[in-house]
Amino acid sequence: MDASRRDLLGSGLLGGLGMAGALAGLGRSEASAETQAPVSVPPLPGVSLRRTRRDGVDLGYVVAGRGPAMVLLHGWPFTWYTWHRVLPTLARNFTVIAPDMRGIGMSQKPFGGYDVLNLASDVAAILTAEGFTEANVLGHDLGVGVAFQLAARHSGLVRRLVLTESIVLGAPQAEMFMNTPPWWVAWHNVPDLPEHVVAGSEGCYLDWFYRNLTFKRAGISRTARDQHVAAYTGPAALRGGFEHYRAFPLTTEQGREASQHRLAMPVLALGGDLVGDVLHRQMTAVADKVQGGRIANCGHVIQEERPDELLARLRAFL
């Protein structure tokens, strides 16, 4: 493991200093987290809120622009708003569709269905609701596994695939990252406990990630930070995010199975200082046409830290 990734992980597995640092400042709020105001959509020119239902689950997403479909899939602890620095530019040439994945933000928080294959079916349902039979798809963090499954299991829907700053669990070379997984992977997998420990101190907890996973701890914009924190406030909202981690065993099996079949569409795989070139290596093992590599001087949140670089890569690729 290189020094930059070691720094970002905050000293390794559950029980290390990374965990202690994230929890050290947690205080209790007198207000009940269950009574927090609903998540609102911050103003962004040209963006409209849409909803659809799949198997009884209400899914919220935003749409902007006109043209071919471009789907943007966020990770944890983010929402659709993580794309705010690239979405307006992409909307000049694409119909941009940015969901809040189930369990997060505007979307319903059921007690199941958080494996990546099911999440990919959520995205397919959104595309159907919007009248698209094909899309370019970009996934970040937890959205990487969802985007990969969409490409593998709904290949006719995906024209070009872009993956940033995560790995595909179960795919070749995943062990390069998961042999020393970040401490929060184990912590978020503990049933029921993390949401009750963190409730009332969501901002303090999440700020650890927004600072420590960015290059030189520069953080993300205050507007984005506040939007993300609001979406994860309260035990139910926290649980909706943690459930994605609790589905990792099934997600890993699904990734292993999907990796048995090579992807035919072009793939762009980009890493920053957390994942590095692991994702690019994975995609080279399972896809025929792969570009990408590592973006220098960038942490985990490429779309918020280096939006111009990401847009330049997308222009060249799409």
Side-chain angles (χ1 to χ4, degrees), residues 14 25 49 57 173 227 247 300:
L14 179 64
L49 169 64
V57 176
Q173 303 192 44
Q227 168 66 12
H300 179 56

Side-chain angles (χ1 to χ4, degrees), residues 262-275:
R262 295 187 68 80
L263 299 180
M265 75 285 294
V267 178
L268 176 64
L270 299 171
D273 279 350
L274 183 63
V275 173

Side-chain angles (χ1 to χ4, degrees), residues 98-119:
D100 271 345
M101 287 199 290
R102 73 163 56 202
I104 295 171
M106 299 178 291
S107 291
Q108 196 172 345
K109 298 156 183 63
F111 283 91
Y114 292 88
D115 57 280
V116 286
L117 183 54
N118 193 56
L119 294 170

Side-chain angles (χ1 to χ4, degrees), residues 13 48 55 76 122 160 192 246 249 276 288 310 313 316:
L13 299 175
S48 61
D55 293 343
W76 185 96
D122 284 349
R160 289 177 181 253
D192 301 322
R246 293 163 187 166
D288 294 326
L310 178 58
R313 300 283 189 123

Side-chain angles (χ1 to χ4, degrees), residues 43 55 72 76 116 124 139 145 149 165 180 200 202 227 238 245 265 277 286 299 313:
D55 293 343
L72 307 178
W76 185 96
V116 286
Q149 286 292 333
E165 260 299 291
T180 54
E202 293 88 348
Q227 168 66 12
L238 288 164
Y245 289 88
M265 75 285 294
D277 63 355
V286 300
R313 300 283 189 123

